Amino acid sequence: MSPSPARKAIRVLIVGPSLDIVGGQAVQAKRLIEELKKVPDLEIVFQPVNPRLPGPLGFLQRIKYVRTIVTEAVYLTRLLLRAPRYDVLHVFSAGYSSFLIAAAPALIVAKLLGKKSVLNYRDGRAYDHLSTRPSAVRIIRLATKIVAPSGFLVGEFAKFQLPATFIYNIIDSDLYQYRNRGKPKPRFFHNRGMESHYNVPCTLRAFAIVQQRYPEATLTLAHDGSLRSQLEQMVAEMQLKNVSFVGTVSQKEMRALYDAAEIYLMSPDIDNMPGSILECYICGLPFVSTNVGGIPLIVDNGRTGLLVGRDDHAAMAEAAIRLLEDDNLAITTTRNGRLECAKYQGANIAANWHDLYRQLVSP
């Protein structure tokens, strides 16, 4: 009996942001590509939505407005040239204008070429995006499959009669290492974007309460955003001490910031499945977060982390002080959080994606 022939490799073009755009989408795209390239019968190629212009043309991407036009032109050109060669277009997506200029063209191209497409939607503001932009719903219907990283977003899509499924984010166990901190010291860390929906002022107000009790307390804020200058002014007006804005940092530098921290704080008004919580799990870093969006689906309040109400800085401060003063709370929650990491391991997530691709291309 002759051996069965090897299965034909599935050719997948992953369309998404490169790490030149700082954020969870780019990080997850990079991690997923690394894992998928280990799967024998997949051919994975990445098409960044923010391609760098070659050589001397790169200066155009340093000019406001011109940057957007030329980057979009190069992206669309490369997308049109590459897409015909692939079986599946896997399209990462945020909401609003990012969806329009990055994800929508890829879905339209896939439809025109008769290719299978996966919309990998990752924005916790999905309901507002889809309810205020009906054209986005029509474009999303072009996708062969909709995938989100959480059951929360699956539920949001269902409100618009858009069937979706979820595949978890990947946790980077090579980059981030577990550290047993014991009872924490008042060294706090925050690394969400400085935009309105992440409500960084709530974190600052909570820290102010903590610092009244622990004058030596420190707070490091990484990343950047449109509200940074307002947040720096807020720190000055509140006369907060030991607050550091470190700006945009690399993934390697981020690892050092996690390692130096003792408690993580974040207070988004809406969120999906923040990678920062997974990073806290794998680092052994206790955290306090608001209980919005998909966060309660990945955090068991009191067991793997502490959750408080939206925009409740007093409750956030109280929870942070509990972590500082309870001899066992931080130790217990971080130990339990470490056990959560197994479901987010790269090989398992890559296997889920491989199964999905195979289902899409199977006759």
Side-chain angles (χ1 to χ4, degrees):
M1 182 175 179
S2 60
S4 58
R7 291 195 296 185
K8 181 182 177 182
I10 304 171
R11 296 164 298 175
V12 181
L13 183 65
I14 294 186
V15 181
S18 75
L19 288 174
D20 287 343
I21 299 177
V22 177
Q25 267 203 96
V27 170
Q28 283 299 313
K30 177 179 180 293
R31 291 176 185 173
L32 181 59
I33 290 167
E34 290 172 349
E35 293 297 332
L36 290 175
K37 285 186 173 181
K38 301 174 186 177
V39 181
D41 62 340
L42 291 180
E43 178 186 330
I44 303 295
V45 171
F46 179 50
Q47 173 56 58
V49 301
N50 55 319
R52 292 183 181 179
L53 288 180
L57 295 178
F59 84 94
L60 294 173
Q61 291 180 307
R62 296 193 292 270
I63 304 173
K64 193 175 182 180
Y65 303 123
V66 173
R67 173 176 60 240
T68 302
I69 295 170
V70 297
T71 300
E72 183 73 2
V74 173
Y75 161 56
L76 293 176
T77 300
R78 292 180 180 176
L79 177 66
L80 288 167
L81 290 174
R82 281 180 160 177
R85 303 199 298 268
Y86 293 88
D87 304 308
V88 179
L89 271 65
H90 177 155
V91 185
F92 276 72
S93 177
Y96 304 103
S97 60
S98 175
F99 172 83
L100 186 63
I101 65 176
L107 295 178
I108 293 169
V109 166
K111 189 68 174 180
L112 291 174
L113 294 175
K115 301 293 183 179
K116 303 295 184 181
S117 62
V118 179
L119 177 67
N120 190 187
Y121 193 96
R122 318 182 67 81
D123 198 321
R125 301 166 293 172
Y127 182 82
D128 183 71
H129 173 211
L130 301 183
S131 61
T132 57
R133 292 162 175 78
S135 61
V137 176
R138 292 194 291 271
I139 294 171
I140 288 172
R141 293 191 192 280
L142 300 178
T144 313
K145 191 75 174 177
I146 304 168
V147 178
S150 74
F152 164 70
L153 279 183
V154 171
E156 297 294 270
F157 275 106
K159 296 173 184 176
F160 299 88
Q161 291 74 54
L162 293 169
T165 188
F166 71 88
I167 296 177
Y168 287 132
N169 283 333
I170 294 175
I171 197 166
D172 193 337
S173 54
D174 293 327
L175 181 63
Y176 297 103
Q177 300 297 323
Y178 186 86
R179 179 165 73 84
N180 189 350
R181 289 166 170 79
K183 186 177 179 180
K185 300 176 180 62
R187 294 200 295 264
F188 296 90
F189 181 46
H190 177 285
N191 70 344
R192 307 309 301 277
M194 296 180 184
E195 305 295 342
S196 59
H197 60 285
Y198 289 129
N199 195 359
V200 186
C202 180
T203 293
L204 292 179
R205 289 192 292 268
F207 178 72
I209 295 174
V210 174
Q211 194 165 72
Q212 290 174 5
R213 190 163 184 150
Y214 292 90
E216 76 280 17
T218 66
L219 173 62
T220 300
L221 298 105
H223 287 329
D224 218 324
S226 61
L227 300 182
R228 176 168 173 173
S229 61
Q230 296 179 35
L231 296 170
E232 290 174 326
Q233 183 178 354
M234 183 177 175
V235 167
E237 291 173 350
M238 297 176 70
Q239 299 183 341
L240 298 179
K241 307 298 182 184
N242 308 322
V243 177
S244 302
F245 289 83
V246 298
T248 300
V249 298
S250 68
Q251 285 295 293
K252 183 177 180 180
E253 292 169 319
M254 189 65 73
R255 176 178 61 186
L257 291 173
Y258 271 108
D259 192 54
E262 296 281 321
I263 297 175
Y264 183 87
L265 299 177
M266 71 173 192
S267 46
D269 289 336
I270 184 65
D271 219 323
N272 173 32
M273 184 188 180
S276 52
I277 285 181
L278 306 189
E279 289 158 357
C280 286
Y281 283 160
I282 203 163
C283 290
L285 184 62
F287 62 86
V288 184
S289 170
T290 45
N291 59 353
V292 298
I295 293 174
L297 299 179
I298 61 172
V299 178
D300 186 355
N301 186 27
R303 191 182 71 85
T304 62
L306 299 185
L307 301 180
V308 299
R310 177 183 177 275
D311 199 30
D312 191 342
H313 65 277
M316 174 163 279
E318 180 182 354
I321 291 170
R322 283 179 59 205
L323 287 170
L324 291 170
E325 297 183 353
D326 187 312
D327 289 339
N328 297 311
L329 183 58
I331 296 170
T332 302
T333 57
T334 53
R335 185 184 298 130
N336 292 332
R338 188 179 189 183
L339 298 176
E340 295 291 304
C341 295
K343 67 180 73 170
Y344 307 109
Q345 293 299 318
N348 297 333
I349 306 306
N352 291 335
W353 281 108
H354 178 239
D355 290 345
L356 177 63
Y357 298 150
R358 181 60 64 185
Q359 292 167 16
L360 289 178
V361 302
S362 295

